[in-house]
Amino acid sequence: MTLFEKVVAREIPAKIVFEDDEILAFHDINPQAPVHVLVVPKRVIPRIAEAQPSDGALLGRLLLTGKQIAADLGLSETGFRLVINSGRNGGETVPHLHLHVLGGRPMNWPPG
Ligand code: AMP
């Protein structure tokens, strides 16, 4: 079981902000911005590099859920960033695809 499957199963506690049949979203345990939420498909895709064309609908829902959470948390006007880390150089630490929603401060570019 991945770490995030354990969160989905309520074996690990989390501050949940959204759930439906396919997706769970919760606050990151080590926030990198005033708002830092992880949006996680319940079905495990290890990373975006391994996503298949058949995952397209779920990936679309992931993005749309991320923007809705950003809106719900008051980030629409000031803006926000959606991030997916993939693999070692991408900064991935949990091998269960997830979208980061970051906001509440200006973001730097290029990212570190
Ligand atoms: P990534 O580095 O893109 O794989 O993102 C993994 C994220 O999961 C990091 O931002 C961690 O802070 C976060 N994280 C790890 N464990 C937990 C947890 N138990 N609850 C919430 N977030 C977590």
Side-chain angles (χ1 to χ4, degrees):
M1 231 181 179
T2 70
L3 180 68
F4 291 160
E5 284 181 287
K6 291 179 183 171
V7 176
V8 170
R10 308 308 202 260
E11 290 177 17
I12 294 176
K15 289 196 274 180
I16 293 169
V17 297
F18 173 84
E19 182 170 26
D20 68 12
D21 54 333
E22 291 186 303
I23 288 172
L24 186 72
F26 48 91
H27 289 278
D28 196 291
I29 204 168
N30 182 24
Q32 301 302 310
V35 175
H36 187 174
V37 169
L38 303 176
V39 190
V40 182
K42 293 181 177 179
R43 178 164 65 77
V44 180
I45 301 167
R47 59 194 54 81
I48 192 68
E50 289 167 44
Q52 302 298 315
S54 59
D55 297 319
L58 181 58
L59 293 173
R61 293 210 53 237
L62 195 70
L63 283 173
L64 290 169
T65 302
K67 77 95 188 178
Q68 187 58 49
I69 289 168
D72 292 346
L73 296 179
L75 302 177
S76 294
E77 193 178 324
T78 51
F80 55 90
R81 184 170 288 177
L82 302 179
V83 172
I84 296 175
N85 298 323
S86 187
R88 193 170 59 246
N89 279 1
E92 171 201 314
T93 59
V94 177
H96 180 154
L97 176 67
H98 50 280
L99 179 71
H100 297 256
V101 179
L102 294 151
R105 66 166 173 83
M107 298 292 150
N108 298 318
W109 195 264

